[in-house]
Amino acid sequence: MSDFDRVEVIDNGAALRLLREDGSDLRFHAIWLRDNALDPATRSPGNGQRLITIGEIPAATRIESAVLDAANRLTVTFAPENKTVDFRLAWLNALAYDRTPAMEAGWLPESCETWDGGFATRLPQLDFTRAKQDPQALANWLAAVRRFGFAIMTGGPVESGALLEVAALFGFVRETNYGRWFEVKSEIAPSNLAYTSLGLQAHSDNPYRDPVPTMQLLYCLENTAEGGESFVVDGFRAVQRLRQENPDGFALLSRHCARFEYAGTSDTHLRSRKPIIELAPDGELVGVRFNNRSMAAVTDVPYEAMPAYYAAYRHLATIVDDPAMAASFKLEPGASFLVDNTRVLHGRKGFSGSGSRWLQGCYPDKDGLLSTLAVLQNNGRRIAAE
Ligand code: FE2
């Protein structure tokens, strides 16, 4: 609600207060308002980018006057520039920061919904042909990826490289030492254990990269092998469980960096130093790195804390391995799945030597996916003042 009916300048012009009839209010600082002004001298009308630096705004900026009119417009005059700028109340309301959220470490935004194995009965799916023809259906599918970190695309072409057509629906593929895409086939002398018929514990891909691949697309071309089902585990749900069952362990895995490494071929040596559980500075859970194959020797945990760190790592692994956490499915040729690799762990069951299993994978970036989603939802230009 932006039904403000009064404004007052407070703290000698350092801030203003918008008041509603019911007595609730929102405060904004002079420096915040000045920096975020939408006038054409501050923001480019063409691309929305800011035209001034923080140093060009006087440190002594204060509010000289603030007037609210009947058109839900707030007119503010800043001193010492003697500059007058209009703000829409709905815009201010949408960007309100005058709140004190009680957020415990590991909190998640509303746009994120965690799940366990029961998710298998409601996996988001979309047909490839429909995705190409129906922007609303594609938007819904991308929104499901944002919410659950996972979705399936069915009905794609059964031909090598078709995964790039799926990725092109929403974004851009990151090229790595594995190429623009990579093959997941059984090999006799594999350079990576993914290329065998062994089962693989649920994991996130390539934690030895910094930044990690943010999404992974795995595309099925053949799947006649006995077994070999894919499964996914919501790493965020696993972390939530760990926090509940073992708060000290949760703290250890988030406060200390692990190390990850891959040097499986002579031309590659990738290393990273990042925590298994990554939190933003305000405690938001933003990432999980979990991969037994590529975890290197951990050397950033104090001697005294190492046993408890290992116990916490074991505890998290036990949760990840809990069958109740896994959503399983089997891909048909032409089907693919997309996971948020910063959150959802993927694995596969072992499969027998008869029949064949051929997948191709690539790493599209999540920022492009979220951008496409925002554009499809017609809110890509958040700078719009109206
Ligand atoms: Fe993988």
Side-chain angles (χ1 to χ4, degrees), residues 145-163:
V145 175
R146 181 176 62 182
R147 173 161 293 276
F148 303 111
F150 177 87
I152 288 174
M153 180 79 64
T154 57
V158 184
E159 56 192 53
S160 177
L163 78 172

Side-chain angles (χ1 to χ4, degrees), residues 204-219:
S204 62
D205 258 33
N206 296 195
Y208 40 77
R209 287 184 207 286
D210 185 6
V212 295
T214 45
M215 311 284 317
Q216 175 168 199
L217 181 67
L218 269 173
Y219 197 100

Side-chain angles (χ1 to χ4, degrees), residues 198-242:
L198 298 172
L200 291 175
Q201 185 186 35
H203 61 277
S204 62
D205 258 33
N206 296 195
Y208 40 77
R209 287 184 207 286
D210 185 6
V212 295
T214 45
M215 311 284 317
Q216 175 168 199
L217 181 67
L218 269 173
Y219 197 100
C220 178
L221 292 169
E222 292 175 13
N223 201 2
T224 57
E226 193 78 18
E229 287 91 354
S230 300
F231 62 95
V232 283
V233 172
D234 187 351
F236 281 4
R237 174 63 73 87
V239 168
Q240 287 176 325
R241 265 187 66 183
L242 180 70

Side-chain angles (χ1 to χ4, degrees), residues 1 6-7 18 59 70 89 210 238 251 267 277 292 319 336 338 348 376 383:
M1 297 292 285
R6 205 150 54 84
V7 61
L18 291 164
L89 289 184
D210 185 6
D267 58 354
I277 298 171
N292 70 300
I319 294 170
S336 55
L338 183 64
R348 67 150 190 253
L376 287 172
I383 50 137

Side-chain angles (χ1 to χ4, degrees), residues 308-324:
Y309 181 90
Y310 260 95
Y313 175 39
R314 182 183 300 278
H315 193 154
L316 179 61
T318 303
I319 294 170
V320 167
D321 290 340
D322 180 352

Side-chain angles (χ1 to χ4, degrees), residues 237-258:
R237 174 63 73 87
V239 168
Q240 287 176 325
R241 265 187 66 183
L242 180 70
R243 184 182 62 177
Q244 189 178 10
E245 297 170 10
N246 182 353
D248 292 341
F250 165 80
L252 280 167
L253 297 187
S254 60
R255 286 186 191 151
H256 297 291
C257 282

